[in-house]
Amino acid sequence: MRTYITNIFDWLDKRYNIKVVIRFLAEKKVPIYKHTIWYYMGGITLLFFIIQVITGILLLLYYRPTAEGAFESVQFIMTQVHYGWLIRSIHSWSANLMVLFVFIHMFSVLLLKSYRSPRELTWVTGVLLMYISLAFGFTGYLLPWNELSFFATKVGTDIAGVIPFVGEFIVRFLRGGEDVTGATLTRLFGFHVAVLPGAVLIILAIHLLMVQRQGMSKPVGLKEVKREMLFFPDFFLRDFLGWLFAIGILAILAAVFPWELGQKADPFSPAPEGIKPEWYFLFMFQTLKFFPAKILIFDGELVATFIFAVVGIFWILVPFLDFKSKKEMKSPIFSIIGIFAILYVGIITLLSYFVFK
Amino acid sequence: MMEEKNKSRRNFINYLLGGGFTLVASSVIYPIVRFMLPPKSTEAEPMAVSAGKVGEMHLNSGKIFKFGRKPGLLIYTKQGEYRAFMATCSHLDCIVQFRDDSESIWCACHNGYYDVNGNNVSGPPPRPLENLDVIIKDDDIMVSKIT
Amino acid sequence: MKSINRHFNNIYIPFLIIFLFSSTALYSQEKRNNCIECHSEFEEEETSPSIEFKNDIHNSSGVLCSDCHGGDPEIDASEDQELAMDPKKGYKKPPKHNEVPEFCARCHSDFEYMKKFNPNIRVDQYENYLTSQHGKLLATGDNKVANCVSCHKAHGVKRKTDPASTVFVAQIPETCSICHSDAEYMKGYAIPTDQLEKYKESIHGEYLLEEGDLSAPACNDCHGNHGAAPPGIESVHNVCGVCHPGNSQLFLNSTHKKYFEEFDFPECTTCHNNHLIQKLTKESLGIGEQSVCGICHAEGEVGSADAVEIKNSIENFSALRDNCQILSEEAERKGMHVAEIKYQLNNVDTELLKARSMVHSFSLENVKQITGEGTKLALDVREMANDALKEYQIRRVGLVISLFFIFIAGTALYLKIKDIDRRRTK
Ligand code: HEM
Ligand code: FES
């Protein structure tokens, strides 16, 4: 047995020189200090992403992306297919947990300033991954073709319409026509299962390669780390323990609170009360509402989308704008920006659940 | 002595690890495999159901059949045509029936009448019955939703 | 250039002529109704004829004041009022209360005239009216009873399909009640004045007035409109049978028909009431205090045993059905999928409806047959619901087992990590 494996290994090594990689990984170290825990967050995000891929492929065996058949096929999955309720429930819960952990991961690297030189591009790819995660959520929401998701998609795509010049085109592009119809469903389905996964795989591969190549960052001012652990197996095993824990939580959530299906969407019925986007869009949705209808001569919504765009671009450029941490100095401005962003997103999201309704 | 103890301890941990992960893996793989095996009923909402066989019904008669989760009404008109409708009355959801004496569809609950095209013609029903498509395939009368 | 101009003129001039003609025609038609012009100068209230008439169906059909009242609307009355309302020009004084039906009938009973407006129009209203209680009393010189305008209004007449009309289905109860609920006004007639109150409480009133089901009966659906009269005892089942043919037929074929006739009981309303028709409760069956069977069947008498059995059979079935619903709701609360259960429960409901309807055959055997079938169906539903609940248990157990596996693996991993750490520190 042993010899077989070494034989195969040698065979591969002769061709691809993989010993270098192994040696590199064997020497990789992770610093140990009070914030080490945040190094696990990217890994947990990765776990949820893998779960999404597996359960997503499984759902594809029975799902039908048409206005006539989508709702029924999901219903079928949940009632007729063995463990269909579980697979769908896991896909939905894990999607939400993934977005949650993308946020946790992102804000932790923001506050630890891990994005600073030389890891700028890790951050840039990371922000792109976050945007894609949100796009996953948006496109996936419509797929069961139920009342809530239908109208939320209608409202959501409507917002793009306020952008000057290209707004109308974007709305048409997203909807595949003037209105949210079966064409929209087929199109968003295409994004959800082909376009976005393709994009994620490429960007995620770059993201992970860069992380492996550069190793873990150390926070500003922590030049000399007293303790370190080997990436393999020490950190890897701990990562795994975290994964087990996450899988347990996911199993409990999916089994005890099975994801609901609701009523089939009826395009001709009036919008029901309480249509809301998914929770991770709420803070943007709510922000839009804060804007008055007119600001000076500009449309309020237009100003809001403009501000979103500016913030979105600023977010990508953070590593290049934070000059202080570049020079390994503390940069309180970006800590404040980070904390403000966390508080804003957190509070507005909670408020829109409990106060604004 | 110490070495011995450590070794057996390490062995135990490794076995536990192997066993534990095998169990976790199987409880992940089991539902996945069961999921992939095709279930008993193979269609979500049946696109088409067989409402009966040709020749079973005599002219000017009707029968109730199960269309997915709701009852449907198949009628064989005097002219020898098959027509099908959802059998729930548009008034208060009673189940309608065919009447050969008046050659129409009748709701016994409040005396509502529909003609053989499903149009409400008298009594309380506010709307026609929901129409279904009928196709004869071999000698099966197949009924499906109009899309 | 010139030829284009000529072409233009060729088209333009005929148009101009047509336009001028038609506008003068319109203008003169507007102008012709001097009655309204003059009357609206001193009539100010919403309900005064010259104002109300603007929205009247007669007005929009082109019927003029003078078509009913005579006179000459072409004469500008500000110049000569006498001449405009000259009896020689056919002018008549407004009809008295008892003259109204005939007054309207002049046109409304004349099919030759009426068919111009609608080839399918009815012209039998006056005839019907003469047979009505209203009409009969009017003939005896009673001027308190309703004539045409009491319900339809005199100058604000609207189509019965117009929701703002006083004779729109959902308005009818209020319209009748103007007189019939006025105890002072109805004094001297030996009939009650609480019909509207009772009707509003009734299932019919609830559907028509609250649910907006326009097919639910208003007063006229049972009493007739132009021929309004209380239905006679032996025609009650016909009246109710218009909409409830099943129950009415069952009653006719039952033993009770004969006895009800013997005792002069007013058929359906004996048990169901007339204006206050309500949903019956489970206490309505059997021979208890509130039961309707108990009105005739005292304990121990003929039929009382059957009455109790019928009650029990329906009650047991209904209890089983409720039990199914509770189980199904519990399963739904626990996140199970109950669409199929709910579908079958609907079928059980249909059976229950049938069983309740079958009571009108007053045959224990018939009722039992339906409750028997229904019970079989309901037992299936109960099993499905129980299966769903069992499935829920299975899911729970599955969850606990896999959590236990995760716990073992996690513990092992933890020990392994500790073990590696220990070796490192050594
Ligand atoms: C699909 C979503 C993502 C996955 C699967 C993912 C995965 C990972 C993994 C496994 C690591 C190494 C472990 C760690 O440091 O936590 C990592 C590191 C990192 N990620 Fe992500 N990530 C995702 C999204 C993001 C986002 C949204 C950002 C920021 C905008 C981001 C920025 C970073 C940075 C800067 C590092 C380096 C951290 C360091 O070296 O200390 N990632 N990512
Ligand atoms: S339910 Fe069919 S007529 Fe009332």
Side-chain angles (χ1 to χ4, degrees), chain A residues 38-43 45-46 98 102 105-106 109 114-115 119 122-123 126-127 129-130 133 204 207-208 211 215-217:
Chain A
W38 301 111
Y39 291 148
Y40 296 103
M41 297 306 148
T45 315
L46 183 61
M98 174 173 143
V102 165
H105 174 50
M106 176 177 76
V109 296
S114 319
Y115 53 75
R119 294 184 179 77
T122 315
W123 171 268
V127 175
L129 285 175
M130 172 192 64
S133 306
L204 185 59
H207 191 76
L208 295 180
V211 172
M216 288 322 198
S217 71

Side-chain angles (χ1 to χ4, degrees), chain B residues 76-119:
Chain B
Y76 191 28
T77 65
K78 223 172 185 173
Q79 287 73 36
E81 260 183 85
Y82 288 102
R83 305 234 169 99
F85 311 92
M86 296 308 298
T88 29
C89 180
S90 62
H91 180 222
L92 295 176
D93 291 348
C94 283
I95 295 173
V96 297
Q97 63 197 76
F98 183 76
R99 280 185 72 149
D100 50 5
D101 52 355
S102 58
E103 289 170 49
S104 56
I105 299 166
W106 182 53
C107 177
C109 278
H110 310 103
N111 216 11
Y113 277 92
Y114 304 84
D115 64 15
V116 286
N117 298 311
N119 296 316

Side-chain angles (χ1 to χ4, degrees), chain A residues 32-301:
Chain A
I32 303 178
Y33 61 105
K34 67 175 179 188
H35 289 313
T36 303
I37 177 101
W38 301 111
Y39 291 148
Y40 296 103
M41 297 306 148
I44 293 192
T45 315
L46 183 61
L47 165 74
F48 287 127
F49 178 69
I50 294 171
I51 292 177
Q52 285 311 91
V53 173
I54 296 172
T55 51
I57 290 173
L58 286 175
L59 290 174
L60 269 182
L61 296 184
Y62 300 101
Y63 177 76
R64 284 205 196 117
T66 63
E68 296 79 36
F71 181 86
E72 282 78 6
S73 67
V74 176
Q75 204 167 43
F76 177 74
I77 290 173
M78 295 177 73
T79 54
Q80 305 293 316
V81 181
H82 302 290
Y83 293 98
W85 62 276
L86 181 64
I87 302 289
R88 167 164 190 259
S89 193
I90 287 182
H91 193 75
S92 308
W93 272 109
S94 165
N96 283 278
L97 290 173
M98 174 173 143
V99 174
L100 178 66
F101 275 86
V102 165
F103 278 118
I104 294 177
H105 174 50
M106 176 177 76
F107 281 120
S108 68
V109 296
L110 178 74
L111 292 180
L112 290 171
K113 311 285 173 350
S114 319
Y115 53 75
R116 70 190 190 282
S117 173
R119 294 184 179 77
E120 297 94 331
L121 292 183
T122 315
W123 171 268
V124 171
T125 50
V127 175
L128 293 181
L129 285 175
M130 172 192 64
Y131 293 160
I132 296 179
S133 306
L134 295 183
F136 261 119
F138 186 78
T139 53
Y141 197 39
L142 182 67
L143 300 188
W145 200 249
N146 57 24
E147 212 173 30
L148 229 56
S149 69
F150 176 82
F151 285 102
T153 306
K154 220 169 166 144
V155 175
T157 45
D158 247 352
I159 292 172
V162 302
I163 305 170
F165 311 121
V166 291
E168 223 156 282
F169 169 76
I170 295 181
V171 175
R172 271 188 61 88
F173 179 78
L174 288 174
R175 290 181 175 175
E178 293 302 328
D179 224 327
V180 176
T181 58
T184 320
L185 179 64
T186 312
R187 167 170 292 248
L188 292 194
F189 172 74
F191 285 129
H192 191 81
V193 306
V195 179
L196 294 177
V200 157
L201 280 181
I202 295 169
I203 301 175
L204 185 59
I206 299 174
H207 191 76
L208 295 180
L209 272 178
M210 288 194 286
V211 172
Q212 291 307 325
R213 183 72 189 83
Q214 296 181 317
M216 288 322 198
S217 71
K218 302 175 189 78
V220 181
L222 204 84
K223 269 277 153 55
E224 280 303 310
V225 180
K226 278 169 215 106
R227 289 171 57 217
E228 283 182 322
M229 67 173 133
L230 282 173
F231 177 75
F232 198 87
D234 301 35
F235 185 80
F236 183 77
L237 288 182
R238 283 175 170 78
D239 230 355
F240 225 88
L241 194 57
W243 281 28
L244 274 183
F245 190 71
I247 291 176
I249 299 286
L250 181 61
I252 293 174
L253 287 174
V256 179
F257 307 103
W259 208 261
E260 295 197 355
L261 180 53
Q263 292 289 318
K264 180 170 179 165
D266 175 3
F268 303 112
S269 74
E273 258 180 64
I275 24 165
K276 264 191 189 165
E278 298 246 74
W279 61 268
Y280 39 85
F281 289 118
L282 275 180
F283 78 95
M284 289 193 259
F285 191 64
Q286 208 39 258
T287 308
L288 261 184
K289 288 197 196 158
F290 289 152
F291 279 80
K294 275 257 177 286
I295 298 173
L296 297 177
I297 52 162
F298 301 108
D299 193 43
E301 277 189 13

Side-chain angles (χ1 to χ4, degrees), chain A residues 75 78-79 85 230 232-234 237-238 240-242 244-245 247-249 251-252 255-259 261, chain C residues 334-339 391-392 394-396 399 402-403 406 409-411 413-414 416-418 420-421 424:
Chain A
Q75 204 167 43
M78 295 177 73
T79 54
W85 62 276
L230 282 173
F232 198 87
D234 301 35
L237 288 182
R238 283 175 170 78
F240 225 88
L241 194 57
L244 274 183
F245 190 71
I247 291 176
I249 299 286
I252 293 174
V256 179
F257 307 103
W259 208 261
L261 180 53
Chain C
K334 289 185 166 167
M336 307 304 294
H337 285 273
V338 292
E391 167 75 16
Y392 170 80
I394 293 174
R395 288 181 187 182
R396 274 298 138 90
L399 174 66
S402 44
L403 285 182
I406 291 176
T411 316
L413 198 52
Y414 179 77
K416 181 86 187 165
I417 291 170
K418 284 274 128 133
I420 294 175
D421 280 356
R424 297 238 191 281

Side-chain angles (χ1 to χ4, degrees), chain C residues 243-298:
Chain C
C243 293
H244 301 281
N247 295 348
S248 142
Q249 200 58 41
L250 284 172
F251 173 79
L252 276 189
N253 295 337
S254 78
T255 46
H256 279 57
K257 167 74 182 154
K258 194 174 90 202
Y259 296 117
F260 274 37
E261 239 166 48
E262 235 166 71
F263 292 110
D264 260 359
F265 285 159
E267 303 193 326
C268 315
T269 59
T270 314
C271 302
H272 292 284
N273 242 315
N274 41 21
H275 300 110
L276 188 65
I277 296 166
Q278 280 177 324
K279 273 212 166 115
L280 297 186
T281 66
K282 58 181 180 185
E283 296 310 321
S284 310
L285 288 173
I287 52 169
E289 191 98 320
Q290 297 163 34
S291 85
V292 292
C293 310
I295 299 173
C296 298
H297 299 275

